[in-house]
Amino acid sequence: MAYRDLREFITLLERKRLLARVKAEVDPAWEINGITNKLINEAVTSGKSPAVIFEKVKGHKVPVLCNLIGTLERLALALETESADERVIREEWLKRIGHPIPPKKVKTGPCKENILTGEKADFNAIFPPVIWHKGDGGAYIGTLAIQVTKDPETGVQNAGIYRMMVRTKNETGLMFPAVQHAGQHLGKWRRLFPGKPMPVAIAIGTDPVYLLAAGAKFHHPPSEDDYAGALRKEPLELVKCETCDLTVPATSEIVLEGEVYPDELKPDGPFGEYTGHQGAAQMLNVFHLKTITHRDNPIFLGEREGYPSETGLISLKSKEYLIYERLRKLPGVIDVHMPREGCAFKLIIALRKSWPGHVNQIIQSVWGDLDLGLSFRYIVVVDEGVDIRNPAHVEWAVSNYVQPDRDILIAPRSPGGGGGLDVSQPYSKRRWSAKWGVDATLPTEEYEAEGTKAPELCDDPDIKAKVEAQWGKYGINP
Ligand SMILES: Cc1cc2nc3c(=O)[nH]c(=O)nc-3n(C[C@H](O)[C@H](O)[C@H](O)COP(=O)(O)O)c2cc1C
Ligand SMILES: [Mn+2]
C-alpha cells in the first residue's frame, strides 16, 4: 500500500526506530546544519543514521524534518521494495516505471486546511529560517521543495527539485537552468507569452515517492505525476491550486503558489553545493509568492546539501537506474554504479570486453547521451567480475591495469561535467569541462598483439564457492 502522505511514512520510520525526535531547542542559524552534517556522514560511512525531527526550533513553531532518505534502507522503505539490496531496488524501480499510472484529481485535501493570502502569505509565518551551510547567502526554504510547472506547449506537468533562498517575506530565488525541464518551460513561456509571469506551485513535505520522482530525470510525456503513480503503484491524488491550474499532491504539508517572470533576475546565494563547496552568488530568477496553503501543524522537510548529502540517494540513484537501463542494451555492459562520493560526476561500468576499442565506444556512448550523459566527467570501466560497489576493488583494477598514456581517454571542452560547479577550474573557465574515461580492464588485446596470453587471476572461483558452502564446518566464526 502506497504511503498516503509524509506522516504515514514518518509513523513507519518511528515504529522501525529509524527516526529520532530532538526535543532540545536548536538554533536554526547553525545547529541544524551541524547535526545533519554528522548524521549524513554516519549514513555514508556506516549505512545507519536516523531521520530526525527538530521539534523545537528556536523562535519558531513549525518542526523541521531532515535526513529522511539518508540511507539505502529508507530508500527501500519509501519504495516498499522487498530488500534494500541496490540491485533489487533498481530492478523494481525500472519495472515499475515501465507502467506509468495517471494521477487522480480530487476536489480538496489536507493541504487546504489553511489558506494564507494577501499580507498573510508570508514565508516567516511558516518556515524557520534554517541556514544549511555557514556561508549561505540566507535561509533556504527550498532544499527538498518540489517545483511544479506546466509545459506551455504540451500541457504536461513537470515536478523537479530546485533550491530557493528567501529574499523577502514573499520573494525567493529560483534556479531554473535551461538544461532542466522547469527551465525549458520558462524558455517556452518567454517565447509564447512575452512579458507575462509563469505560474509555479511548490509542494513541500509530500509522500516520499513523489519526492523521489521529482528528483529523477524522466522523458515526457507522461508527467512525473504518472511516474510517481508507477513507483508507488497507486495513482497520486492531486488538487488544483487556488491561484492557477497547476495541480499538487493533496496531502502535501505546505504548498506555495506564485509566479516567475522569465527575464527577471536578482542576486542569489551563495549556497553550499553537492560538490561539498560553497557555490558562488549568482543572478537567478525570482519566485513571487501569492498564496500559501498548509495542513494543520505542518512539517517543514529540508536537507543539508553539500557533500555528503541526501541528494546522493534522492537524485543520484534514479540517474544511475536510468543510465543503466540505456547502457544494458549495449553489448557487453553488465552493471553500472554511481558512488555517492562521485558527486554525480563518476560512473563505474562493469564490461564484458569483447573487442579492441569496445571500452572507448562505451565511454563515448555515455558522453553522447543527451539527457543523462552531461554530468559524467569521470568514467571508469572495469572487467566483469570486479565488484563495482566496492571502491577498493575498483581501485585495485585501476592500480593494476592502467597505463595512463594508453588507457585514459580525454574529451576536451565538453558540456556539463558540473558546469558552473566544476571546482577543478577557476570561475572564468567553467563554461566547459574536459572529461576523462579510464579503461581499467585487463589489457588482453595488448598481450594478444605480442602473441602471449594475459595472466590469469590466482583466485579460483570453484574453490571459493566450495569453501563458502561448508564454512560452518571449520568453526572459525560460528
Ligand atoms: C536537494 C536537491 C536540490 C536540487 N537543486 C537544484 C537546483 O537548484 N537547480 C537545478 O537545476 N537542479 C537541482 N536539483 C536537481 C534536479 O532536481 C534534478 O536534476 C531533476 O531531475 C530535475 O528534474 P526536471 O528536469 O524534471 O525538473 C536538485 C536536486 C536535489 C535532490
Ligand atoms: Mn521532468
Side-chain angles (χ1 to χ4, degrees):
M1 279 284 283
Y3 301 104
R4 186 177 140 69
D5 56 12
L6 178 63
R7 296 179 190 199
E8 260 191 29
F9 188 53
I10 291 174
T11 305
L12 174 90
L13 296 184
E14 206 147 25
R15 217 178 58 226
K16 290 187 168 287
R17 299 176 162 277
L18 295 172
L19 179 111
R21 287 188 181 273
V22 174
K23 297 195 188 295
E25 183 177 272
V26 293
D27 188 335
W30 64 274
E31 265 180 307
I32 294 179
N33 166 0
I35 296 166
T36 53
N37 189 7
K38 181 169 161 67
L39 288 175
I40 198 70
N41 270 287
E42 277 172 19
V44 171
T45 46
S46 72
K48 300 242 172 272
S49 139
V52 59
I53 295 185
F54 298 101
E55 293 192 338
K56 209 163 152 203
V57 182
K58 191 172 160 191
H60 242 273
K61 297 189 303 284
V62 172
V64 181
L65 170 61
C66 297
N67 201 23
L68 185 71
I69 313 281
T71 62
L72 266 182
E73 184 181 17
R74 287 201 292 285
L75 179 65
L77 284 174
L79 290 164
E80 299 177 279
T81 56
E82 291 208 339
S83 106
D85 181 280
E86 289 223 67
R87 271 156 293 199
V88 173
I89 301 175
R90 180 173 70 190
E91 284 312 310
E92 185 63 27
W93 199 94
L94 289 171
K95 194 174 89 192
R96 290 186 200 172
I97 63 159
H99 305 280
I101 300 179
K104 213 164 90 188
K105 299 264 166 70
V106 293
K107 286 220 152 48
T108 188
C111 72
K112 305 283 191 187
E113 281 165 358
N114 303 272
I115 300 179
L116 310 178
T117 55
E119 276 301 299
K120 289 198 170 141
D122 176 346
F123 300 123
N124 303 311
I126 301 286
F127 298 98
V130 184
I131 305 294
W132 298 99
H133 324 86
K134 193 172 78 178
D136 285 0
Y140 277 75
I141 58 174
T143 52
L144 287 180
I146 300 164
Q147 284 70 11
V148 176
T149 53
K150 193 182 266 189
D151 186 317
E153 282 174 353
T154 65
V156 175
Q157 259 195 187
N158 187 71
I161 303 172
Y162 300 91
R163 93 257 307 248
M164 300 166 75
M165 186 186 92
V166 176
R167 294 180 47 80
T168 68
K169 61 175 270 208
N170 54 13
E171 248 185 61
T172 71
L174 202 53
M175 193 203 208
F176 277 3
V179 292
Q180 305 282 37
H181 293 150
Q184 286 161 17
H185 290 185
L186 200 60
K188 288 184 185 181
W189 185 278
R190 175 191 287 111
R191 185 163 45 76
L192 293 171
F193 308 106
K196 294 228 171 76
M198 181 177 86
V200 182
I202 292 142
I204 298 173
T206 66
D207 90 273
V209 177
Y210 182 66
L211 177 71
L212 295 172
K217 184 60 86 186
F218 290 114
H219 274 308
H220 302 304
S223 163
E224 275 86 359
D225 301 338
D226 307 57
Y227 288 113
L231 288 171
R232 65 203 290 281
K233 300 202 275 186
E234 275 179 42
L236 260 183
E237 294 198 346
L238 300 179
V239 279
K240 199 171 102 42
C241 286
E242 301 296 300
T243 58
C244 62
D245 66 356
L246 295 169
T247 53
V248 289
T251 61
S252 306
E253 292 293 327
I254 303 163
V255 177
L256 309 175
E257 301 180 16
E259 46 196 27
V260 51
Y261 290 84
D263 293 316
E264 183 187 26
L265 300 175
K266 289 189 180 168
D268 187 277
F271 181 58
E273 291 288 354
Y274 62 89
T275 64
H277 300 81
Q278 206 64 38
Q282 53 192 317
M283 298 297 283
L284 293 185
N285 281 113
V286 181
F287 173 76
H288 294 274
L289 178 71
K290 286 168 115 181
T291 295
I292 300 178
T293 74
H294 69 87
R295 294 181 70 152
D296 292 337
N297 305 313
I299 303 164
F300 169 28
L301 172 69
E303 75 149 309
R304 183 180 190 280
E305 268 286 313
Y307 171 78
S309 70
E310 277 178 81
T311 309
L313 292 175
I314 290 173
S315 256
L316 198 119
K317 283 293 138 184
S318 58
K319 189 164 199 184
E320 178 186 309
Y321 305 160
L322 290 170
I323 193 87
Y324 172 69
E325 171 75 348
R326 292 192 207 166
L327 290 182
R328 75 169 160 185
K329 297 189 179 115
L330 302 179
V333 175
I334 305 293
D335 202 357
V336 310
H337 178 56
M338 287 176 68
R340 281 171 95 161
E341 67 274 16
C343 297
F345 302 138
K346 183 171 183 182
L347 181 69
I348 306 168
I349 302 173
L351 184 73
R352 185 176 303 153
K353 184 169 64 171
S354 307
W355 60 83
H358 191 183
V359 171
N360 284 8
Q361 282 182 296
I362 295 293
I363 293 169
Q364 284 164 338
S365 73
V366 175
W367 289 335
D369 187 306
L370 294 188
D371 280 334
L372 299 165
L374 276 178
S375 72
F376 296 119
R377 189 165 89 204
Y378 176 24
I379 299 176
V380 182
V381 182
V382 296
D383 290 306
E384 173 187 18
V386 173
D387 180 356
I388 57 174
R389 288 177 186 77
N390 184 330
H393 287 214
V394 175
E395 187 53 32
W396 167 85
V398 173
S399 302
N400 278 283
Y401 297 151
V402 175
Q403 282 290 318
D405 56 350
R406 181 193 65 195
D407 295 324
I408 295 183
L409 181 66
I410 295 177
R413 212 174 128 76
S414 303
L421 296 178
D422 179 355
V423 292
S424 66
Q425 309 191 81
Y427 296 105
S428 64
K429 296 197 172 148
R430 286 189 192 176
R431 212 160 111 67
W432 305 100
S433 294
K435 296 184 170 176
W436 56 313
V438 180
D439 176 352
T441 60
L442 179 65
T444 45
E445 61 283 359
E446 295 290 312
Y447 285 92
E448 277 159 19
E450 67 159 30
T452 55
K453 258 185 97 204
E456 289 188 4
L457 293 173
C458 50
D459 280 358
D460 181 333
D462 288 343
I463 292 180
K464 271 166 111 171
K466 270 197 262 177
V467 166
E468 198 63 52
Q470 51 183 23
W471 186 247
K473 181 175 121 181
Y474 306 117
I476 294 176
N477 41 11

